[in-house]
Every structure is written in C-alpha cells, then in structure tokens.
Amino acid sequence: LTGAKTLLTVKQVHGAKVIGLAGGKIDSRALRDTEADAMITDQPGLAIGVLCADCFPVLLAETEKRIIGVCHCGRRGIIEGVIENTVKAMVKKGGRREKMIAAVGPGICGNCYRVDDEVVEEYRGKFGGGGGDKPWRRVPGGFLLDLKKAIFSILAGQGIFGGRTDDLGLCTFENQGFFSHRGSRGRAGRQLSAIMIK
C-alpha cells in the first residue's frame, strides 16, 4: 500500500478476537504470532490486513472518526461473531455504526461451498431456521452454504447496509487467479486484503 509505514497481520485461528492498535511502536513480528482474526486502528499509515483463500476478507471504515477495521470471515469466525466484535470495537473507540462503510473481498461463493448437516445446524442457531434469507440451501447429498450472504446479513444487523456496502463479487473457487483452499485441497497460498488510513 502506497504510503504505509508498515503492514500488520495476526495469526488467524478462525475465531472472533479483535486486536486494537493504538499509537506508539508496534512489534509487527510479535503481532504476527498473536492469535486473532480481526484488527482495528485509528492510526494513519498503519496498513492492517488479513490472509484468505476461500474465507472472506471484510474491510470496515468509520468515515467521520477515521477508524478502520479488517476481519477474516470464515465459517467458524462468522458463527463466533468476528464481524460483530470488530464493529463493537470500532464503536468503543468512538465510531458510529451509521458512519461505517464495508467492503467484502473475494471468497468461495454460495454455489461452490458444500457443507454437511452439522455446519448447517450451527448456522440455524445463529440465523434462524427458515425463510428465504437463510444463507444455506439443500442440494442432493448435502447443503450449499453462502458465507457472503451471511456476512451481508450480519452487516445489515449492525446497521451497515445499502449504499454503504460493496462486494467485489469474485469466487476464489471458480476463478483461477485466486488461491483456493478447497480448490487446491489445502495446498493453496493466501490472498492479502488490507486497509489503511492515509
């Protein structure tokens, strides 16, 4: 990222922990060994990023107070509340939900992510049992899970919706130009998605 003082990542574990980064010296090496799946900051020049290969990166910005966040949204992190925790951390730092915008990067689409009954039960627990807005659908031999639909549902529940959200609209499994954990049977690299305050 042009103008970045440093690019910061964490040790992603498919959880919901959020790291808040303030001013002062940051040990980027120690941070890379810190287990978390999201970061927030209000410090200019700090690029904060997540690594994904079928999971979705979600980038958040509070445009008035100039607070940013990034979260790694996989199947488990979505259930555990990584998006909600990131928004809450930004609010605790002084941000307002109505001033937040979000961008969702590339990840595996709802036509390619096949899951079993156990996974769908977890999602029923979070999103309810039915209705046309549920992020899964039954197909022969199992279910297809739409993580992006789940992400946008959570963002809307946090007050971030409509023209304040953006979707890159690319599937990592279908597009050869992206790393895909499923497509490579676990041997893929990772895409980096980052955000920074200039």
Side-chain angles (χ1 to χ4, degrees):
L1 291 171
T2 306
K5 297 173 190 171
T6 186
L7 172 61
L8 302 170
T9 58
V10 288
K11 183 177 181 181
Q12 297 167 195
V13 292
H14 296 277
K17 183 179 176 183
V18 182
I19 301 289
L21 301 172
K25 186 168 175 59
I26 296 170
D27 185 340
S28 59
R29 189 177 301 237
L31 191 63
R32 279 197 303 272
D33 291 330
T34 301
E35 293 187 353
D37 282 271
M39 288 178 283
I40 69 160
T41 189
D42 61 358
Q43 298 300 304
L46 292 184
I48 54 176
V50 290
L51 299 165
C52 301
D54 288 342
C55 297
F56 284 87
V58 175
L59 311 177
L60 295 155
E62 205 277 21
T63 57
E64 191 172 87
K65 299 289 186 180
R66 291 171 57 82
I67 304 163
I68 56 172
V70 62
C71 42
H72 163 242
C73 299
R75 172 179 64 80
R76 293 196 302 274
I78 289 170
I79 289 292
E80 292 191 22
V82 68
I83 299 169
E84 296 95 319
N85 288 357
T86 305
V87 172
K88 284 177 193 171
M90 292 170 71
V91 168
K92 190 173 180 181
K93 204 164 183 67
R96 292 191 294 158
R97 286 176 169 84
E98 61 268 24
K99 295 294 181 180
M100 292 183 191
I101 57 175
V104 180
I108 191 165
C109 78
N111 293 321
C112 296
Y113 190 30
R114 186 177 288 270
V115 298
D116 58 23
D117 295 285
E118 186 177 340
V119 172
V120 170
E121 280 305 309
E122 292 176 350
Y123 273 75
R124 279 196 183 100
K126 186 173 180 89
F127 293 93
D133 289 337
K134 64 183 185 293
W136 67 87
R137 69 180 191 273
R138 186 180 289 278
V139 292
F143 296 88
L144 288 172
L145 180 61
D146 192 335
L147 294 179
K148 186 161 58 177
K149 190 171 189 177
I151 288 167
F152 277 103
S153 174
I154 293 167
L155 288 171
Q158 294 295 308
I160 308 167
F161 51 85
R164 294 189 289 121
T165 61
D166 194 19
D167 173 17
L168 202 57
L170 294 169
C171 174
T172 48
F173 188 84
E174 292 175 340
N175 289 274
Q176 297 294 314
F178 292 108
F179 293 116
S180 171
H181 180 76
R182 284 208 163 192
S184 68
R185 297 196 171 111
R187 295 189 298 273
R190 297 292 183 268
Q191 280 82 233
L192 170 69
S193 300
I195 185 170
M196 182 187 80
I197 301 168
K198 289 192 173 180

